[in-house]
Amino acid sequence: AQSVTQLGSHVSVSEGALVLLRCNYSSSVPPYLFWYVQYPNQGLQLLLKYTTGATLVKGINGFEAEFKKSETSFHLTKPSAHMSDAAEYFCAVSDQDSSASKIIFGSGTRLSIRP
Amino acid sequence: DGGITQSPKYLFRKEGQNVTLSCEQNLNHDAMYWYRQDPGQGLRLIYYSQIVNDFQKGDIAEGYSVSREKKESFPLTVTSAQKNPTAFYLCASSIWQGARETQYFGPGTRLLVL
């Protein structure tokens, strides 16, 4: 079975600073990995996803994530934070159980941006 | 525009009352999901449906019921048996691309108990 761990429930960075949100996963099969963003009182929006191929995945709003199999990680980064990046971010992995297809979500990381 | 809609945005429930949350999608997706979100707990799967007229319990199905009579619609009923219904409810649908699926989410419904 798959699982996802997001390190740090709350991350705070200054505007213009590097954003790094950590995600580690466990999977017995090649994973399918996602990052979603959620703004207050809204649904989740897909930021980016890794399927196969290139391990560095570029998403919307300047975010990117790198799949590192040796470290079982899929950390999300952005070179320069904007105030509009303040939101909650969820890492997820697909469940490859043949009897039920589910996506497993991490517990989320709240990103705050300091002026 | 294709997308997923949830209504209402806010819903109030009285003690002992059943309430139904609407989820509609015009993306022609086969699979639909209901999640509950509580602060600090991420998303927990309530029910999901892979195809019309079929649905499966998720991790926290007790006190909830669903139906899937149409491909576009997957309403969730929060029954009086759900003792702690206050939460943010998210509906999602998904499409298979190759061997994998991607989920797309609605804007959510916040349920509050009076």
Side-chain angles (χ1 to χ4, degrees), chain B residues 5 14 30 33 39 41 43 54 69 75 83 86 97 102 107 109:
Chain B
T5 57
K14 296 180 181 178
D30 285 314
Y33 305 77
Q41 294 195 41
L43 301 177
D54 185 54
E69 297 176 1
K83 299 306 179 188
T86 297
Q97 295 171 311
T102 299
T109 293

Side-chain angles (χ1 to χ4, degrees), chain A residues 2-111:
Chain A
Q2 274 85 350
S3 67
V4 174
T5 301
Q6 289 184 242
L7 301 175
S9 59
H10 185 206
V11 171
S12 179
V13 303
S14 297
E15 191 174 17
L18 170 73
V19 174
L20 171 61
L21 304 182
R22 299 177 187 274
C23 173
N24 288 88
Y25 69 91
S26 67
S27 176
S28 56
V29 299
Y32 195 39
L33 296 158
F34 310 80
W35 274 101
Y36 286 87
V37 59
Q38 183 182 33
Y39 298 101
N41 293 313
Q42 295 185 26
L44 274 64
Q45 180 182 3
L46 183 64
L47 209 52
L48 51 79
K49 62 183 178 183
Y50 167 78
T51 55
T52 59
T55 56
L56 182 62
V57 182
K58 293 186 184 299
I60 61 173
N61 302 339
F63 283 93
E64 59 184 34
E66 186 172 10
F67 169 59
K68 292 187 177 180
K69 184 178 178 180
S70 61
E71 299 177 7
T72 60
S73 69
F74 191 57
H75 302 331
L76 182 70
T77 61
K78 181 174 181 177
S80 176
H82 294 166
M83 296 300 292
S84 60
D85 294 327
E88 186 138 20
Y89 292 80
F90 291 92
C91 182
V93 62
S94 66
D95 185 337
Q96 286 296 293
D97 184 327
S98 59
S99 65
S101 176
K102 296 189 294 184
I103 294 180
I104 311 299
F105 287 86
S107 56
T109 297
R110 183 170 298 280
L111 176 64

